[in-house]
């Protein structure tokens, strides 16, 4: 039975509350007092600000709110800060209300967008509010994780609906809101509805706090022996989390039977080289790692093992503060300080409570535990004092360890202060953009009045409002000068005195806002050019968000290679340092793209809100003929492979949906197929997630299902041909650089070690001066493939300067081994002239 089956014929407050509590009772749920109070206020028509601890059932209140809106014929929106939470809520609400009644909009995906209940990111709702104002088809807003209102870059999206939707009912929810008296008065003033503040300090699972003066491995042993697992050890960097997990391997975490159960659940799960092998060792020992840089399939595996009760320890970052799908009984803080991008500082009360609140699972635990580790030097001093005992002479001889220079210290007093402190009051982070003005101008009515309301009745102080007004005037003048908007001599039939002169698609500011530019820029290139496919990739890459760890490593490697080259040329140190400043990561077509962007911006000024960023990651990977694992190893990106994969998947999705069919040459289609197969073989969950969102099934979200083995890599023949071509061309590229040692590492297993490759390379270069590695050299015309049932026999012909095409590399491709490995498994059989 779905909750919609209980919709009352007469949706008065009593009938709604009775129907909802009947449904919860049938599911064996007894409402907490705060939940009951909040739902009663919602069905009575009040706005609700719900500030209760993590695990106190705020999600159930949200369900009651959606039920109320549905019964009253109002459209309700659920908003969350990250797409993963939006999609998770989407599937949960489908289970409760049925697929026809629930839709989702994230910018990347739009599913059933006309449904009466919509799950979306905060930015989506903010843009709807800006586009339609008070007439927006929004009857109710459930804003989860509302403390994001204070985020400097994104807080505007949580504020705009409050300013622009006076007819909506609001339910603002978070475990860490702090003093909300301002919002209580502001909501009541704007909506004319009473606003109920529902708070409760009482947790369903009470927390016990402890400050540990023992070394972490001793603390962990105490917790494990005391039945306080699963334990989540919080770190404030990914490197620290992985390092800690490896050091905890010395503790006996799981029994032999549990290790066997872990191995059985893991089954034939594919761990790649690098971090994958490290994670395999850890989880088999009962220790997990969890952070945003991991591949999604690794995070899901850790979550699945944890939910099965098989992981006793998880070392991760503070991402669990936004909500992760991992059961936790004890949270251990490795520190009470973090680096915020500018400086090392103490945790804020909100940050501390957001993380600590994850301890203790309602329905599983009767108690939750929060432990803070004292700094290492304090622990060592405490150990020395304990060893000295009551002997004053020994105590006097102790040489106390000092904190490292620049160390930001924390003490038990710091811990006590954070426990007692309320979360800091939320602060406004409003901003004005081109997109905001265009949305407001596109709606009926006087845009000047609408913008005046936004600029003068937001939550900023007067000085900040004046700055926002000046920025809005500057943006408006730029739009006017560009001819994108025009003043009317008299109001039109919809009351506009200024209007747009261009059509503005609804999602112009939501999903890859520079995609229209990419579409226009692609037309600049010649379809017959040998570099056309890669040039299109470069256009698309310039419009996708920067994967900063990759670009940083590319620059580091480029500067390292440049230093070696300059040393070889005898360039002095000072000059080398000066020259290095100009060396950055690769930016193909930068001058052309920036020029095109400048011209495009004249007619589309809103793109000034976004930055074009030429870069080469997918192109770099393709030109180096590397697979994903090789690329991660080449740039030492093991801690960021999840980020790299999501970037590659975004480029793949953009190529599929941005480039029109008539612009997809055979070479470009081959590249797109290769890219899709690369993503699928590394971790298919990203593509599966897109598919699940577009076609929801009863199986639920991908994130709730155990990771499955990827499909056979040979089943997509077109993509597999590109994989084979890349494997062979990788060898050509190394051969051209006379790099016989890397070649030996690739092919020693098939009898071609470094010595064999060196001999072949010397023989070739006795005959020819150079070896081509350009677009012609890697074209399909120089790769001969003879397909047999179990093996492909291939020959990669060299692009020699004489055009003889007699030299080449012969190899066999083992299809079964390729399916098992997820890459083309090539065995070199001969190198030489035919």
């Amino acid at each position: 039975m779905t909750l919609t089956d209980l919709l009352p014929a007469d949706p008065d407050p009593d009938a709604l509350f009775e129907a909802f509590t009947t449904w919860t009772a049938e599911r064996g749920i007894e409402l907490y007092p705060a939940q009951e109070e909040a739902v009663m206020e919602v069905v009575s028509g009040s706005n609700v600000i719900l500030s209760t601890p993590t695990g106190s059932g705020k999600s159930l209140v949200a369900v009651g709110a959606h039920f109320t809106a549905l019964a009253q014929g109002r459209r309700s929106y659920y908003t969350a800060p990250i797409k993963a939470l939006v999609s998770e809520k989407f599937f949960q609400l489908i289970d409760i209300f049925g697929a026809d009644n629930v839709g989702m909009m994230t910018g990347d995906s739009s599913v059933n967008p006309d449904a009466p209940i919509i799950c979306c990111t905060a930015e989506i709702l903010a843009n709807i509010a800006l586009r339609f104002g008070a007439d927006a088809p929004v009857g109710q807003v459930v804003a989860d994780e509302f403390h994001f209102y204070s985020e400097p870059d994104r807080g505007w999206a949580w504020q705009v609906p409050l300013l622009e939707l006076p007819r909506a009912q609001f339910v603002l929810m978070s475990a860490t809101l702090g003093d909300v008296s301002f919002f209580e008065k502001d909501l009541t003033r704007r909506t004319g509805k009473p606003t109920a503040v529902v708070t409760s300090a009482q947790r369903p699972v009470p927390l016990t706090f402890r400050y540990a003066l023992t070394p972490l491995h001793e603390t962990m042993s105490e917790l494990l022996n005391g039945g306080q697992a699963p334990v989540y050890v919080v770190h404030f960097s990914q490197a620290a989390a992985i390092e800690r997990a490896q050091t905890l391997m010395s503790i006996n975490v799981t029994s032999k039977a549990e290790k066997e159960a872990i191995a059985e659940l893991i089954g034939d799960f594919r761990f790649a080289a690098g971090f994958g092998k490290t994670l395999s060792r850890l989880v088999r020992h009962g220790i997990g790692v969890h952070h945003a840089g991991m591949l999604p399939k690794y995070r899901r595996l850790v979550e699945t093992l944890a939910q099965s009760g098989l992981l006793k320890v998880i070392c991760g970052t503070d991402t669990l503060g936004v909500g992760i799908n991992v059961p936790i009984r004890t949270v251990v803080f490795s520190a009470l300080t973090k680096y915020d991008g500018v400086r090392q500082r103490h945790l804020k009360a909100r940050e501390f409570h957001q993380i600590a609140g994850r301890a203790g699972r309602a329905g599983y635990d009767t108690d939750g535990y929060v432990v803070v580790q004292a700094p290492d030097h304090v622990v060592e001093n405490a150990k020395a004092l304990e060893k000295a005992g009551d002997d004053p002479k020994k105590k006097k001889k102790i040489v106390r360890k000092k904190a490292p220079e620049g160390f930001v210290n924390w003490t038990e007093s710091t811990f006590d202060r954070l426990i007692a402190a309320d979360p800091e009051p939320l602060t406004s982070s409003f901003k004005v953009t081109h997109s905001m003005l265009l949305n407001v101008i596109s709606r009926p009515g006087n845009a000047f009045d609408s913008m005046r309301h936004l600029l003068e009745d937001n939550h900023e102080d007067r000085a900040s409002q004046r700055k926002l007004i000046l920025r809005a005037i500057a943006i408006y003048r730029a739009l006017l000068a560009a001819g994108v908007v025009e003043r009317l001599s008299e109001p039109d039939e919809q009351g506009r005195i200024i209007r747009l002169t261009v059509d503005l698609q609804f999602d112009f500011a939501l999903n890859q806002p520079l995609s229209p530019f990419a579409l226009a820029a692609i037309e600049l290139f010649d379809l017959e050019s040998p570099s056309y496919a890669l040039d299109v990739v470069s256009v698309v890459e310039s419009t996708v968000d920067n994967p900063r760890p990759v670009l940083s490593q590319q620059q580091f490697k480029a500067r390292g290679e440049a230093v070696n080259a300059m040393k070889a040329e005898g360039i002095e140190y000072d000059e080398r340092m000066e020259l290095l400043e100009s060396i950055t990561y690769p930016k193909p077509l930068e001058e052309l793209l920036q020029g095109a962007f400048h011209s495009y911006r004249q007619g589309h000024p809103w793109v000034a809100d976004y930055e074009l960023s030429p870069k080469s990651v997918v192109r770099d990977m393709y030109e180096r003929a590397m697979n994903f694992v090789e690329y991660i190893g080449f740039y030492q990106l093991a801690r960021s492979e999840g980020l790299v994969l999501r970037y590659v998947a975004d480029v793949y999705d953009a190529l599929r949906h941005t480039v029109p069919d008539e612009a997809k040459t055979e070479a470009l289609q081959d590249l797109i197929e290769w890219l899709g197969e690369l993503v699928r073989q590394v971790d298919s969950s990203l593509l599966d997630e897109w598919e699940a969102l577009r076609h929801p099934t009863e199986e639920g979200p991908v994130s709730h299902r155990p990771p499955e083995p990827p499909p056979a890599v040979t089943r997509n023949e077109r993509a597999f041909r590109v994989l084979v071509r890349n494997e062979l061309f990788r060898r050509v590229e190394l051969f051209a650089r006379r790099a016989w040692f890397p070649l030996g590492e690739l092919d020693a297993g098939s009898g071609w070690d470094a010595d064999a490759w060196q001999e072949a390379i010397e023989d070739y270069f006795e005959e020819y001066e150079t070896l081509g590695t350009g677009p012609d050299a890697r074209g399909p015309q120089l790769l001969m493939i003879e397909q047999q049932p179990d093996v492909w026999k291939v020959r990669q012909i060299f692009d020699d300067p004489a055009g003889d095409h007699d030299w080449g590399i012969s190899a066999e491709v083992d299809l079964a081994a390729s399916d098992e490995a997820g890459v083309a498994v090539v065995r070199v059989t001969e190198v030489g002239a035919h």
Side-chain angles (χ1 to χ4, degrees):
M1 178 185 292
T2 64
L3 187 49
T4 50
D5 296 326
L6 296 174
L7 287 170
D10 180 13
D12 67 76
D14 290 339
L16 285 169
F17 187 75
E18 184 180 349
F20 182 70
T21 52
T22 297
W23 177 77
T24 57
E26 286 179 354
R27 294 169 73 103
I29 299 170
E30 182 179 350
L31 296 181
Y32 299 123
Q35 289 175 309
E36 192 171 271
E37 181 186 352
V39 174
M40 288 177 70
E41 294 287 357
V42 168
V43 299
S44 299
S46 298
N47 300 310
V48 173
I49 301 175
L50 182 60
S51 181
T52 57
T54 303
S56 59
K58 287 184 286 294
S59 293
L60 199 57
V61 175
V63 171
H66 292 305
F67 175 67
T68 300
L70 188 63
Q72 295 172 344
R74 294 181 293 135
R75 198 173 198 204
S76 61
Y77 280 77
Y78 168 88
T79 71
I82 58 176
K83 294 172 186 175
L85 288 180
V86 172
S87 61
E88 184 175 312
K89 185 62 64 174
F90 169 67
F91 284 104
Q92 287 175 1
L93 293 179
I94 282 177
D95 288 342
I96 295 168
F97 293 101
D100 291 343
N101 288 314
V102 186
M104 186 187 70
M105 299 164 70
T106 63
D108 289 339
S109 304
S110 180
V111 181
N112 197 16
D114 297 322
I117 301 171
I118 296 293
C119 301
C120 64
T121 52
E123 283 81 0
I124 296 284
L125 179 61
N127 277 283
I128 291 172
L130 290 168
R131 178 69 62 94
F132 297 102
D135 295 326
V138 180
Q140 183 192 82
V141 175
V142 179
D144 205 354
E145 307 287 354
F146 185 71
H147 57 273
F148 271 77
Y149 168 96
S150 284
E151 286 288 302
D153 294 328
R154 302 181 60 201
W156 69 272
W158 275 260
Q159 185 172 160
V160 161
L162 307 182
L163 308 178
E164 292 292 284
L165 302 175
R167 297 171 195 163
Q169 177 188 34
F170 287 88
V171 180
L172 312 180
M173 308 190 305
S174 172
T176 54
L177 286 179
D179 180 9
V180 294
S181 55
F182 167 80
F183 295 101
E184 180 184 4
K185 294 171 187 171
D186 190 67
L187 273 177
T188 298
R189 173 177 72 85
R190 293 178 188 277
T191 66
K193 301 178 179 71
T195 301
V197 178
V198 180
T199 61
S200 172
Q202 184 179 358
R203 289 175 47 91
V205 180
L207 294 181
T208 300
F209 295 91
R210 178 161 73 91
Y211 191 72
L213 287 164
T214 49
L216 183 64
H217 65 277
E218 290 184 19
T219 305
M220 295 301 296
S221 294
E222 288 176 24
L223 294 170
L224 293 169
N225 294 333
Q228 294 175 30
V231 182
Y232 193 102
V233 189
V234 181
H235 303 79
F236 296 96
S237 76
Q238 296 171 2
I242 297 168
E243 185 180 334
R244 183 81 68 185
Q246 291 174 311
T247 62
L248 291 176
M249 288 280 283
S250 60
I251 300 174
N252 188 20
V253 175
T254 49
S255 66
K256 184 179 178 182
E258 286 169 328
K259 287 177 180 173
E260 289 172 356
I262 290 170
E264 185 178 347
L265 195 150
I266 289 173
D268 58 355
F269 180 88
R270 183 191 291 165
F271 292 95
F275 175 71
K277 299 303 181 189
T278 300
L279 183 64
S280 177
R281 288 194 304 273
L282 289 168
V283 295
R284 293 175 195 280
H285 194 76
I287 300 172
V289 174
H290 199 286
H291 63 72
M294 292 167 62
L295 292 176
K297 68 177 183 180
Y298 291 157
R299 288 204 306 273
R300 283 175 52 217
L301 177 68
V302 169
E303 290 169 9
T304 302
L305 289 167
Q307 288 156 6
S308 303
L310 295 172
L311 290 187
K312 302 297 178 64
V313 177
I314 302 167
C315 295
T317 56
D318 56 331
T319 49
L320 84 163
V322 185
I324 61 169
N325 198 20
V326 172
I328 301 164
R329 190 170 192 196
T330 301
V331 168
V332 175
F333 284 83
S334 61
L336 289 178
T337 59
K338 67 180 291 186
Y339 182 69
D340 62 7
V342 178
R343 61 189 175 88
Q344 194 78 14
R345 60 164 175 81
H346 286 123
L347 296 183
K348 296 177 182 177
R350 170 168 291 107
E351 293 167 333
F352 175 78
H353 288 296
Q354 198 73 27
I355 298 167
R358 296 289 165 186
R361 302 160 295 172
Y364 294 91
D365 299 323
T366 55
D367 293 283
Y369 302 90
V370 178
V371 180
V372 169
Q373 280 292 123
D376 289 342
H377 68 280
V378 175
V379 170
E380 288 185 44
N381 290 336
K383 201 83 173 171
L385 281 169
E386 183 185 356
K387 191 174 181 182
D390 296 328
D391 189 333
K393 290 183 179 179
K394 288 183 179 178
K395 283 185 177 181
K396 197 172 182 180
K397 289 181 180 178
I398 293 173
V399 179
R400 292 181 179 271
K401 293 271 188 182
K402 292 183 179 179
E405 189 174 345
F407 182 77
V408 177
N409 196 32
W410 69 91
T411 65
E412 191 165 4
S413 296
T414 314
F415 183 33
D416 292 338
R417 177 182 58 77
L418 287 170
I419 294 169
D422 289 327
E424 297 80 6
L426 298 175
T427 54
S428 173
S429 298
F430 198 73
K431 67 178 182 180
V432 176
T433 63
H434 290 76
S435 302
M436 180 179 285
L437 259 72
L438 287 164
N439 269 316
V440 171
I441 292 169
S442 71
R443 71 165 85 148
N446 187 324
F448 289 111
D449 289 343
S450 298
M451 279 307 301
R452 186 177 296 113
H453 163 71
L454 263 175
L455 295 168
E456 295 184 352
D457 194 24
N458 55 49
H459 298 163
E460 295 287 320
D461 59 37
R462 189 58 189 155
S464 298
Q465 287 179 351
R466 279 194 284 269
K467 291 177 183 176
L468 292 170
I469 289 168
L470 291 174
R471 171 150 173 78
I473 291 170
I475 292 173
Y476 168 68
R477 286 174 176 165
L479 294 172
L480 202 62
V484 175
V485 302
E486 62 180 2
R487 286 288 305 255
L488 302 177
S489 56
E490 58 183 48
D492 66 11
E493 64 279 3
Q494 292 187 305
R496 295 187 182 94
I497 58 172
I498 55 172
R499 70 182 177 192
L500 297 177
T501 62
V502 296
D503 289 330
L504 204 63
Q505 70 271 28
F506 172 69
D507 59 352
F508 81 104
L510 303 180
N511 178 25
Q512 297 299 353
L514 295 183
S515 291
F517 163 74
L519 193 60
I522 287 169
E523 297 178 4
L524 298 173
F525 297 94
D526 179 8
L527 274 73
E528 302 301 321
S529 167
S531 65
Y532 172 79
L534 288 173
D535 290 342
V536 171
V537 169
S538 290
V539 171
V540 169
E541 286 202 76
S542 73
T543 67
V544 179
D545 288 343
N546 285 346
R548 298 199 180 280
V550 187
L551 305 186
S552 175
Q553 286 299 101
Q554 285 182 330
Q555 179 171 288
F556 178 77
K557 185 170 278 289
R559 288 183 172 180
E561 291 171 354
V563 164
N564 291 335
M566 286 187 274
K567 283 181 178 177
E569 292 175 25
I571 297 173
E572 293 297 321
Y573 175 82
D574 289 342
E575 187 180 352
R576 290 204 306 266
M577 293 301 99
E578 189 177 334
L579 291 170
L580 277 181
E581 288 300 312
S582 62
I583 296 175
T584 182
Y585 52 86
K587 299 178 181 180
L589 310 176
E590 180 180 25
E591 191 173 333
L592 185 151
L593 288 174
Q594 292 291 6
F597 187 63
H598 177 75
S599 299
Y600 184 82
R601 193 166 55 198
Q602 305 308 307
H604 308 80
W606 60 85
V607 300
D609 291 339
Y610 309 96
E611 207 174 313
L612 192 74
S613 177
K615 52 189 167 293
S616 178
V617 177
V618 170
R619 180 171 186 156
D620 186 38
M621 191 183 300
Y622 188 83
E623 288 183 322
R624 292 183 186 277
M626 288 181 172
N627 60 40
F628 186 83
V629 172
E630 289 170 338
Y631 196 77
I632 293 296
F634 183 72
Y635 284 113
Q636 298 180 6
L637 292 163
R639 291 201 301 272
S640 303
E641 57 186 359
L643 179 146
V644 179
L645 183 73
R646 188 164 286 279
Y647 172 87
V648 171
D650 284 345
V651 173
Y652 168 62
D653 200 45
L655 284 168
R656 285 198 302 168
H657 293 113
T658 300
V659 183
D661 289 342
E662 60 271 18
K664 290 177 180 172
T665 61
E666 282 292 309
L668 180 55
Q669 193 61 56
D670 281 351
L671 194 151
I672 293 171
E673 288 289 329
W674 160 77
L675 195 57
E677 196 58 35
L678 181 145
V679 173
R680 194 170 285 109
Q681 291 300 319
V682 173
D683 187 343
S684 64
S685 63
L686 284 176
L687 304 186
D688 295 341
E689 187 178 299
W690 292 343
E691 190 60 30
L693 292 173
R694 288 167 182 148
H695 304 98
T697 68
E698 63 281 354
E699 291 182 340
V702 172
S703 59
H704 286 183
R705 304 200 296 269
E708 297 174 0
V713 71
T714 58
R715 91 206 181 293
N716 183 339
E717 185 178 308
R718 184 172 197 164
F720 188 63
R721 277 178 171 267
V722 181
L723 291 174
V724 171
R725 192 189 313 162
N726 282 356
E727 285 293 332
L728 270 294
F729 194 76
R730 174 103 172 102
R731 289 157 173 82
V732 173
E733 193 261 345
L734 291 170
F735 195 102
R737 291 196 284 115
R738 310 185 192 208
W740 48 75
F741 286 114
L743 282 165
E745 290 175 2
L746 283 174
D747 296 309
S750 55
W752 280 83
D753 59 13
D755 290 340
W757 275 108
Q758 181 180 4
E759 184 178 341
I761 287 168
E762 289 174 348
D763 288 348
Y764 173 85
F765 283 105
E766 278 183 16
E767 194 170 341
Y768 300 105
E769 289 186 3
T770 60
L771 173 58
T773 57
D776 291 335
R778 72 180 304 147
Q781 66 277 6
L782 293 184
L783 179 65
M784 306 292 107
I785 298 179
E786 179 191 337
Q787 293 181 318
Q788 296 180 8
D790 300 320
V791 68
W792 286 6
K793 293 184 179 295
V794 298
R795 181 164 177 81
Q796 174 67 59
I797 299 168
F798 286 176
D799 184 24
D800 61 81
D804 295 335
H805 292 166
D806 52 349
W807 266 77
I809 301 171
S810 297
E812 293 181 346
V813 183
D814 188 323
L815 303 188
S818 297
D819 283 337
E820 186 176 343
V823 295
V825 175
V826 172
R827 298 192 184 102
V828 174
T829 57
E830 182 189 359
V831 181
H834 269 188

